[in-house]
């Protein structure tokens, strides 16, 4: 199952995506009702994910005609994992970390599928990072790794845009990770059952049509279940929390010469399991 979020009457609204069309799952769209609680977060917080189905008789509307939003618009946490692909650690001449390295982004960083993201004026070294993110299904703490997948609602693509000059000004990476629009994500939340094995999700990134990154979650140092177990030991995870699992080799900062994003660039992240996420820079 694939779920998208779009803007309806000034509010975020979740819907079912199937074969290029979006289907109502709430039953009041035709009446134009204001529905501030018809969100992806409401589905997860209410434990309704397994009950989602299209309203009988709804013929759907083409997704191209809708203004898509990030699949989750108000996550409680956006947790990003660093150096979590073996090949990405190798390209930096670093050993893969024995313990997951993580940092945070905030809601201001979220950007919709197809969005144009302004580059921060204070940095001229903004980099791309193709990532697979998973979304937490329910409230959980101290989850054994063997049970971790029971707490994963699904996956989406995420571009961890990073201002490298500010990222490395301090030992903490967050100054370069939190600018407005620094986390384009989507296009849909793909449920775990549809996405398939957590260690077989493919991902690639092109910059202006040129392939820059290509890998799969088989190369993760710390797997999705391992991350759920580790993070839930340190903190309570809540429905709708986003965990972005890291980026593969091929980032711009590691190239010779380095490749930095500039106005007019188009970044496309694609996955046969998760879809296509397009972002333009301005």
């Amino acid at each position: 199952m694939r779920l998208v979020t779009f803007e309806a009457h000034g509010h975020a609204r979740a819907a079912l995506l199937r074969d290029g069309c979006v289907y109502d799952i709430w039953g009041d769209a035709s009446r134009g009702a204001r529905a501030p609680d018809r969100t992806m977060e409401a589905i997860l917080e209410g434990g309704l994910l397994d009950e989602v189905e299209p309203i009988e008789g709804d013929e759907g509307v083409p997704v191209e005609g809708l203004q898509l939003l990030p699949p989750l618009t108000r996550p409680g946490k956006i947790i990003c994992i660093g150096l979590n692909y073996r090949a990405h650690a190798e390209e930096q001449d670093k050993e893969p970390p024995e313990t997951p390295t993580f940092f945070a982004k905030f809601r201001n960083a979220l950007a919709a599928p197809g969005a144009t993201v302004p580059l921060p004026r204070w940095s001229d070294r903004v980099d791309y990072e193709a990532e697979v993110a998973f979304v937490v299904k329910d409230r959980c703490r101290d989850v054994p790794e063997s049970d971790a997948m029971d707490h994963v609602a699904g996956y989406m693509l995420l571009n961890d845009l990073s201002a490298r000059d500010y990222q490395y000004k301090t030992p903490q990476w967050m100054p370069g990770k939190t600018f407005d629009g620094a986390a384009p994500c989507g296009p849909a939340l793909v449920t775990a059952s549809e996405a398939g094995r957590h260690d077989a999700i493919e991902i690639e990134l092109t910059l202006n049509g040129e392939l820059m990154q290509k890998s799969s979650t088989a190369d993760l140092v710390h797997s999705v279940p391992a991350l759920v177990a580790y993070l839930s030991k340190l903190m309570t995870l809540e429905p709708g929390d986003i965990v972005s699992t890291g980026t593969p080799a091929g980032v711009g900062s590691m190239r010779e010469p380095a490749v930095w994003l500039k106005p007019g660039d188009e970044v496309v992240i694609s996955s046969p399991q998760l879809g296509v996420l397009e972002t333009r820079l301005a």
Side-chain angles (χ1 to χ4, degrees):
M1 182 168 57
R2 296 171 186 265
L3 295 167
V4 295
T5 296
F6 65 98
E7 186 172 319
H9 309 292
H11 297 285
R13 187 182 186 91
L16 181 68
L17 175 64
R18 183 180 293 167
D19 298 326
C21 286
V22 169
Y23 295 86
D24 179 36
I25 58 176
W26 303 104
D28 58 2
S30 62
R31 296 194 293 272
R34 289 170 60 85
D37 58 345
R38 302 296 193 256
T39 61
M40 202 81 71
E41 287 86 348
I43 292 173
L44 298 174
E45 291 165 4
L48 303 174
L49 186 62
D50 296 333
E51 301 177 21
V52 170
E53 59 182 22
I55 298 301
E56 185 176 354
D58 180 27
E59 297 182 355
V61 296
V63 67
E64 291 83 359
L66 298 176
Q67 181 180 347
L68 290 185
L69 301 174
L72 295 112
T73 59
R74 49 179 179 85
K77 306 181 193 69
I78 305 173
I79 302 169
C80 301
I81 311 300
L83 290 177
N84 200 33
Y85 276 76
R86 293 178 180 85
H88 183 45
E90 289 171 5
E91 74 177 344
Q92 299 185 57
D93 295 322
K94 295 181 178 178
E95 290 294 323
E98 293 184 11
T99 301
T101 296
F102 70 90
F103 55 93
K105 287 179 181 269
F106 307 105
R107 293 182 194 174
N108 68 292
L110 293 174
T116 297
V117 173
L119 292 165
R121 295 181 179 179
W122 38 262
S123 174
D124 58 5
R125 295 189 177 186
V126 177
D127 205 350
Y128 54 81
E129 290 192 13
E131 306 206 6
V132 173
F134 67 85
V135 175
V136 176
K137 184 177 183 179
D138 51 16
R139 193 172 193 267
C140 58
R141 185 172 175 83
D142 294 322
V143 176
E145 189 170 332
S146 58
D147 297 336
M149 293 308 299
D150 294 338
H151 302 280
V152 175
Y155 305 90
M156 61 183 180
L157 298 172
L158 188 144
N159 191 348
D160 177 18
L161 294 173
S162 305
R164 300 296 191 197
D165 42 0
Y166 276 74
Q167 177 180 345
Y168 296 120
K169 280 182 178 289
T170 70
Q172 299 295 328
W173 296 352
M174 286 174 58
K177 297 283 191 173
T178 56
F179 61 87
D180 292 349
C185 59
L189 173 66
V190 182
T191 56
S193 58
E194 176 149 338
R197 287 171 38 190
H198 65 82
D199 59 353
I201 299 175
E202 301 168 68
I203 187 171
E204 68 176 46
L205 180 147
T206 63
L207 174 60
N208 301 324
E210 180 181 355
L211 181 65
M212 308 297 276
Q213 293 182 284
K214 184 178 178 67
S215 189
S216 87
T217 51
D219 193 42
L220 288 179
V221 178
H222 303 287
S223 69
V224 171
L227 291 172
V228 172
Y230 179 70
L231 293 171
S232 70
K233 179 177 72 172
L234 302 180
M235 69 190 89
T236 299
L237 299 178
E238 302 284 354
D241 285 350
I242 297 170
V243 180
S244 200
T245 59
T247 197
V251 296
S253 57
M254 291 292 105
R255 294 178 173 271
E256 292 291 344
V259 175
W260 305 117
L261 296 176
K262 61 186 184 302
D265 281 348
E266 182 177 41
V267 179
V268 178
I269 303 174
S270 58
S271 164
Q273 293 88 1
L274 305 184
V276 178
L277 173 66
E278 300 180 0
T279 305
R280 293 169 182 81
L281 287 309

